Amino acid sequence: MILTVFDISVLISKWVIYLSVAAVIGGTLMQYLIKGQPNLGISVTKYTGLGAVLGLIAVSINYFAQIGGFC
């Protein structure tokens, strides 16, 4: 079985989706654990937001790569 560009991009985007889900879940958990430290809260909020944006981009790339793989 030969992997095409679409197959490789699907694999990489799914890996990024899994990482971003872990970042969002972990960041949300950390928000509850560090309520008394506002400086860390800002950093964790940025980390969680970056994970969410990265996940949205990876989902859109995954979608288009799967559509391209059907042709």
Side-chain angles (χ1 to χ4, degrees), residues 37-62:
Q37 300 174 356
N39 292 337
L40 287 176
I42 294 170
S43 298
V44 172
T45 302
K46 289 180 183 179
Y47 172 77
T48 306
L50 179 66
V53 169
L54 190 64
L56 288 173
I57 292 169
V59 165
S60 63
I61 289 172
N62 186 10

PDB file of all heavy atoms in Angstrom, residues 37-62:
ATOM      1  N   GLN A  37      -3.580  31.847  41.658  1.00  0.00           N
ATOM      2  CA  GLN A  37      -2.395  32.455  41.057  1.00  0.00           C
ATOM      3  C   GLN A  37      -2.762  33.076  39.707  1.00  0.00           C
ATOM      4  O   GLN A  37      -2.771  32.404  38.687  1.00  0.00           O
ATOM      5  CB  GLN A  37      -1.303  31.402  40.890  1.00  0.00           C
ATOM      6  CG  GLN A  37      -0.892  30.781  42.202  1.00  0.00           C
ATOM      7  CD  GLN A  37       0.086  29.646  42.014  1.00  0.00           C
ATOM      8  OE1 GLN A  37       0.405  29.278  40.897  1.00  0.00           O
ATOM      9  NE2 GLN A  37       0.574  29.114  43.116  1.00  0.00           N
ATOM     10  N   PRO A  38      -3.036  34.375  39.697  1.00  0.00           N
ATOM     11  CA  PRO A  38      -3.518  35.003  38.447  1.00  0.00           C
ATOM     12  C   PRO A  38      -2.473  35.042  37.333  1.00  0.00           C
ATOM     13  O   PRO A  38      -2.828  34.999  36.163  1.00  0.00           O
ATOM     14  CB  PRO A  38      -3.915  36.409  38.882  1.00  0.00           C
ATOM     15  CG  PRO A  38      -3.221  36.642  40.167  1.00  0.00           C
ATOM     16  CD  PRO A  38      -3.012  35.307  40.805  1.00  0.00           C
ATOM     17  N   ASN A  39      -1.183  35.123  37.663  1.00  0.00           N
ATOM     18  CA  ASN A  39      -0.153  35.172  36.619  1.00  0.00           C
ATOM     19  C   ASN A  39      -0.113  33.871  35.832  1.00  0.00           C
ATOM     20  O   ASN A  39       0.028  33.878  34.608  1.00  0.00           O
ATOM     21  CB  ASN A  39       1.220  35.456  37.223  1.00  0.00           C
ATOM     22  CG  ASN A  39       1.313  36.860  37.777  1.00  0.00           C
ATOM     23  OD1 ASN A  39       0.565  37.739  37.359  1.00  0.00           O
ATOM     24  ND2 ASN A  39       2.200  37.063  38.720  1.00  0.00           N
ATOM     25  N   LEU A  40      -0.213  32.764  36.537  1.00  0.00           N
ATOM     26  CA  LEU A  40      -0.229  31.476  35.847  1.00  0.00           C
ATOM     27  C   LEU A  40      -1.536  31.267  35.093  1.00  0.00           C
ATOM     28  O   LEU A  40      -1.558  30.597  34.068  1.00  0.00           O
ATOM     29  CB  LEU A  40      -0.020  30.337  36.847  1.00  0.00           C
ATOM     30  CG  LEU A  40       1.379  30.176  37.405  1.00  0.00           C
ATOM     31  CD1 LEU A  40       1.414  29.065  38.449  1.00  0.00           C
ATOM     32  CD2 LEU A  40       2.363  29.890  36.303  1.00  0.00           C
ATOM     33  N   GLY A  41      -2.609  31.831  35.601  1.00  0.00           N
ATOM     34  CA  GLY A  41      -3.904  31.683  34.948  1.00  0.00           C
ATOM     35  C   GLY A  41      -3.919  32.277  33.553  1.00  0.00           C
ATOM     36  O   GLY A  41      -4.531  31.717  32.634  1.00  0.00           O
ATOM     37  N   ILE A  42      -3.250  33.399  33.370  1.00  0.00           N
ATOM     38  CA  ILE A  42      -3.185  34.033  32.048  1.00  0.00           C
ATOM     39  C   ILE A  42      -2.402  33.154  31.079  1.00  0.00           C
ATOM     40  O   ILE A  42      -2.812  32.951  29.933  1.00  0.00           O
ATOM     41  CB  ILE A  42      -2.558  35.439  32.163  1.00  0.00           C
ATOM     42  CG1 ILE A  42      -3.486  36.354  32.958  1.00  0.00           C
ATOM     43  CG2 ILE A  42      -2.268  36.019  30.789  1.00  0.00           C
ATOM     44  CD1 ILE A  42      -2.868  37.681  33.337  1.00  0.00           C
ATOM     45  N   SER A  43      -1.305  32.593  31.555  1.00  0.00           N
ATOM     46  CA  SER A  43      -0.496  31.720  30.697  1.00  0.00           C
ATOM     47  C   SER A  43      -1.257  30.457  30.313  1.00  0.00           C
ATOM     48  O   SER A  43      -1.200  30.011  29.164  1.00  0.00           O
ATOM     49  CB  SER A  43       0.802  31.331  31.403  1.00  0.00           C
ATOM     50  OG  SER A  43       1.570  32.458  31.677  1.00  0.00           O
ATOM     51  N   VAL A  44      -1.971  29.892  31.247  1.00  0.00           N
ATOM     52  CA  VAL A  44      -2.733  28.672  30.973  1.00  0.00           C
ATOM     53  C   VAL A  44      -3.893  28.975  30.026  1.00  0.00           C
ATOM     54  O   VAL A  44      -4.222  28.164  29.160  1.00  0.00           O
ATOM     55  CB  VAL A  44      -3.216  28.024  32.287  1.00  0.00           C
ATOM     56  CG1 VAL A  44      -4.168  26.880  32.026  1.00  0.00           C
ATOM     57  CG2 VAL A  44      -2.032  27.537  33.095  1.00  0.00           C
ATOM     58  N   THR A  45      -4.490  30.148  30.153  1.00  0.00           N
ATOM     59  CA  THR A  45      -5.569  30.535  29.240  1.00  0.00           C
ATOM     60  C   THR A  45      -5.038  30.666  27.811  1.00  0.00           C
ATOM     61  O   THR A  45      -5.684  30.212  26.859  1.00  0.00           O
ATOM     62  CB  THR A  45      -6.205  31.856  29.690  1.00  0.00           C
ATOM     63  OG1 THR A  45      -6.694  31.704  31.014  1.00  0.00           O
ATOM     64  CG2 THR A  45      -7.337  32.266  28.771  1.00  0.00           C
ATOM     65  N   LYS A  46      -3.865  31.256  27.647  1.00  0.00           N
ATOM     66  CA  LYS A  46      -3.249  31.358  26.321  1.00  0.00           C
ATOM     67  C   LYS A  46      -2.923  29.976  25.770  1.00  0.00           C
ATOM     68  O   LYS A  46      -3.127  29.695  24.588  1.00  0.00           O
ATOM     69  CB  LYS A  46      -1.985  32.216  26.382  1.00  0.00           C
ATOM     70  CG  LYS A  46      -2.251  33.678  26.595  1.00  0.00           C
ATOM     71  CD  LYS A  46      -0.962  34.460  26.653  1.00  0.00           C
ATOM     72  CE  LYS A  46      -1.217  35.919  26.935  1.00  0.00           C
ATOM     73  NZ  LYS A  46       0.035  36.689  27.022  1.00  0.00           N
ATOM     74  N   TYR A  47      -2.427  29.094  26.620  1.00  0.00           N
ATOM     75  CA  TYR A  47      -2.089  27.723  26.226  1.00  0.00           C
ATOM     76  C   TYR A  47      -3.338  26.971  25.762  1.00  0.00           C
ATOM     77  O   TYR A  47      -3.321  26.304  24.730  1.00  0.00           O
ATOM     78  CB  TYR A  47      -1.433  27.016  27.412  1.00  0.00           C
ATOM     79  CG  TYR A  47      -1.194  25.545  27.221  1.00  0.00           C
ATOM     80  CD1 TYR A  47      -0.134  25.098  26.445  1.00  0.00           C
ATOM     81  CD2 TYR A  47      -2.013  24.602  27.832  1.00  0.00           C
ATOM     82  CE1 TYR A  47       0.093  23.748  26.282  1.00  0.00           C
ATOM     83  CE2 TYR A  47      -1.784  23.251  27.676  1.00  0.00           C
ATOM     84  CZ  TYR A  47      -0.729  22.836  26.900  1.00  0.00           C
ATOM     85  OH  TYR A  47      -0.505  21.499  26.733  1.00  0.00           O
ATOM     86  N   THR A  48      -4.420  27.119  26.506  1.00  0.00           N
ATOM     87  CA  THR A  48      -5.671  26.443  26.152  1.00  0.00           C
ATOM     88  C   THR A  48      -6.244  27.013  24.851  1.00  0.00           C
ATOM     89  O   THR A  48      -6.715  26.266  23.995  1.00  0.00           O
ATOM     90  CB  THR A  48      -6.688  26.592  27.292  1.00  0.00           C
ATOM     91  OG1 THR A  48      -6.099  26.133  28.504  1.00  0.00           O
ATOM     92  CG2 THR A  48      -7.940  25.788  27.017  1.00  0.00           C
ATOM     93  N   GLY A  49      -6.196  28.316  24.705  1.00  0.00           N
ATOM     94  CA  GLY A  49      -6.682  28.945  23.471  1.00  0.00           C
ATOM     95  C   GLY A  49      -5.865  28.541  22.255  1.00  0.00           C
ATOM     96  O   GLY A  49      -6.409  28.284  21.179  1.00  0.00           O
ATOM     97  N   LEU A  50      -4.555  28.466  22.421  1.00  0.00           N
ATOM     98  CA  LEU A  50      -3.690  28.028  21.326  1.00  0.00           C
ATOM     99  C   LEU A  50      -4.002  26.582  20.939  1.00  0.00           C
ATOM    100  O   LEU A  50      -4.058  26.247  19.753  1.00  0.00           O
ATOM    101  CB  LEU A  50      -2.219  28.167  21.716  1.00  0.00           C
ATOM    102  CG  LEU A  50      -1.202  27.729  20.676  1.00  0.00           C
ATOM    103  CD1 LEU A  50      -1.282  28.648  19.464  1.00  0.00           C
ATOM    104  CD2 LEU A  50       0.187  27.737  21.266  1.00  0.00           C
ATOM    105  N   GLY A  51      -4.240  25.749  21.935  1.00  0.00           N
ATOM    106  CA  GLY A  51      -4.614  24.362  21.649  1.00  0.00           C
ATOM    107  C   GLY A  51      -5.934  24.276  20.908  1.00  0.00           C
ATOM    108  O   GLY A  51      -6.097  23.461  19.991  1.00  0.00           O
ATOM    109  N   ALA A  52      -6.893  25.111  21.273  1.00  0.00           N
ATOM    110  CA  ALA A  52      -8.194  25.104  20.608  1.00  0.00           C
ATOM    111  C   ALA A  52      -8.081  25.580  19.161  1.00  0.00           C
ATOM    112  O   ALA A  52      -8.670  24.980  18.252  1.00  0.00           O
ATOM    113  CB  ALA A  52      -9.178  25.976  21.376  1.00  0.00           C
ATOM    114  N   VAL A  53      -7.336  26.642  18.929  1.00  0.00           N
ATOM    115  CA  VAL A  53      -7.164  27.159  17.567  1.00  0.00           C
ATOM    116  C   VAL A  53      -6.416  26.146  16.703  1.00  0.00           C
ATOM    117  O   VAL A  53      -6.785  25.896  15.552  1.00  0.00           O
ATOM    118  CB  VAL A  53      -6.434  28.523  17.598  1.00  0.00           C
ATOM    119  CG1 VAL A  53      -6.005  28.950  16.204  1.00  0.00           C
ATOM    120  CG2 VAL A  53      -7.316  29.569  18.226  1.00  0.00           C
ATOM    121  N   LEU A  54      -5.384  25.551  17.263  1.00  0.00           N
ATOM    122  CA  LEU A  54      -4.631  24.540  16.533  1.00  0.00           C
ATOM    123  C   LEU A  54      -5.518  23.345  16.193  1.00  0.00           C
ATOM    124  O   LEU A  54      -5.426  22.787  15.097  1.00  0.00           O
ATOM    125  CB  LEU A  54      -3.424  24.094  17.366  1.00  0.00           C
ATOM    126  CG  LEU A  54      -2.391  23.222  16.688  1.00  0.00           C
ATOM    127  CD1 LEU A  54      -1.738  23.994  15.549  1.00  0.00           C
ATOM    128  CD2 LEU A  54      -1.349  22.794  17.696  1.00  0.00           C
ATOM    129  N   GLY A  55      -6.397  22.984  17.101  1.00  0.00           N
ATOM    130  CA  GLY A  55      -7.326  21.891  16.845  1.00  0.00           C
ATOM    131  C   GLY A  55      -8.306  22.214  15.734  1.00  0.00           C
ATOM    132  O   GLY A  55      -8.605  21.364  14.897  1.00  0.00           O
ATOM    133  N   LEU A  56      -8.813  23.433  15.718  1.00  0.00           N
ATOM    134  CA  LEU A  56      -9.738  23.831  14.646  1.00  0.00           C
ATOM    135  C   LEU A  56      -9.060  23.814  13.278  1.00  0.00           C
ATOM    136  O   LEU A  56      -9.651  23.373  12.281  1.00  0.00           O
ATOM    137  CB  LEU A  56     -10.309  25.217  14.931  1.00  0.00           C
ATOM    138  CG  LEU A  56     -11.328  25.295  16.059  1.00  0.00           C
ATOM    139  CD1 LEU A  56     -11.674  26.750  16.349  1.00  0.00           C
ATOM    140  CD2 LEU A  56     -12.571  24.519  15.700  1.00  0.00           C
ATOM    141  N   ILE A  57      -7.837  24.265  13.231  1.00  0.00           N
ATOM    142  CA  ILE A  57      -7.093  24.239  11.968  1.00  0.00           C
ATOM    143  C   ILE A  57      -6.836  22.806  11.531  1.00  0.00           C
ATOM    144  O   ILE A  57      -7.002  22.454  10.355  1.00  0.00           O
ATOM    145  CB  ILE A  57      -5.776  25.035  12.109  1.00  0.00           C
ATOM    146  CG1 ILE A  57      -6.076  26.516  12.287  1.00  0.00           C
ATOM    147  CG2 ILE A  57      -4.870  24.806  10.914  1.00  0.00           C
ATOM    148  CD1 ILE A  57      -4.875  27.348  12.686  1.00  0.00           C
ATOM    149  N   ALA A  58      -6.462  21.950  12.485  1.00  0.00           N
ATOM    150  CA  ALA A  58      -6.181  20.552  12.154  1.00  0.00           C
ATOM    151  C   ALA A  58      -7.435  19.814  11.701  1.00  0.00           C
ATOM    152  O   ALA A  58      -7.379  18.975  10.795  1.00  0.00           O
ATOM    153  CB  ALA A  58      -5.565  19.843  13.363  1.00  0.00           C
ATOM    154  N   VAL A  59      -8.576  20.136  12.298  1.00  0.00           N
ATOM    155  CA  VAL A  59      -9.833  19.500  11.876  1.00  0.00           C
ATOM    156  C   VAL A  59     -10.187  19.915  10.453  1.00  0.00           C
ATOM    157  O   VAL A  59     -10.616  19.075   9.649  1.00  0.00           O
ATOM    158  CB  VAL A  59     -10.969  19.846  12.861  1.00  0.00           C
ATOM    159  CG1 VAL A  59     -12.321  19.515  12.285  1.00  0.00           C
ATOM    160  CG2 VAL A  59     -10.762  19.107  14.165  1.00  0.00           C
ATOM    161  N   SER A  60      -9.999  21.173  10.119  1.00  0.00           N
ATOM    162  CA  SER A  60     -10.317  21.608   8.759  1.00  0.00           C
ATOM    163  C   SER A  60      -9.357  20.987   7.743  1.00  0.00           C
ATOM    164  O   SER A  60      -9.779  20.576   6.652  1.00  0.00           O
ATOM    165  CB  SER A  60     -10.314  23.131   8.664  1.00  0.00           C
ATOM    166  OG  SER A  60      -9.038  23.645   8.932  1.00  0.00           O
ATOM    167  N   ILE A  61      -8.086  20.887   8.085  1.00  0.00           N
ATOM    168  CA  ILE A  61      -7.124  20.226   7.191  1.00  0.00           C
ATOM    169  C   ILE A  61      -7.474  18.754   7.036  1.00  0.00           C
ATOM    170  O   ILE A  61      -7.425  18.198   5.931  1.00  0.00           O
ATOM    171  CB  ILE A  61      -5.684  20.406   7.717  1.00  0.00           C
ATOM    172  CG1 ILE A  61      -5.247  21.854   7.551  1.00  0.00           C
ATOM    173  CG2 ILE A  61      -4.717  19.470   7.000  1.00  0.00           C
ATOM    174  CD1 ILE A  61      -3.936  22.178   8.216  1.00  0.00           C
ATOM    175  N   ASN A  62      -7.852  18.108   8.125  1.00  0.00           N
ATOM    176  CA  ASN A  62      -8.236  16.704   8.079  1.00  0.00           C
ATOM    177  C   ASN A  62      -9.449  16.507   7.171  1.00  0.00           C
ATOM    178  O   ASN A  62      -9.494  15.570   6.379  1.00  0.00           O
ATOM    179  CB  ASN A  62      -8.524  16.202   9.485  1.00  0.00           C
ATOM    180  CG  ASN A  62      -8.779  14.721   9.540  1.00  0.00           C
ATOM    181  OD1 ASN A  62      -8.567  14.004   8.575  1.00  0.00           O
ATOM    182  ND2 ASN A  62      -9.229  14.246  10.676  1.00  0.00           N
TER     183      ASN A  62
END
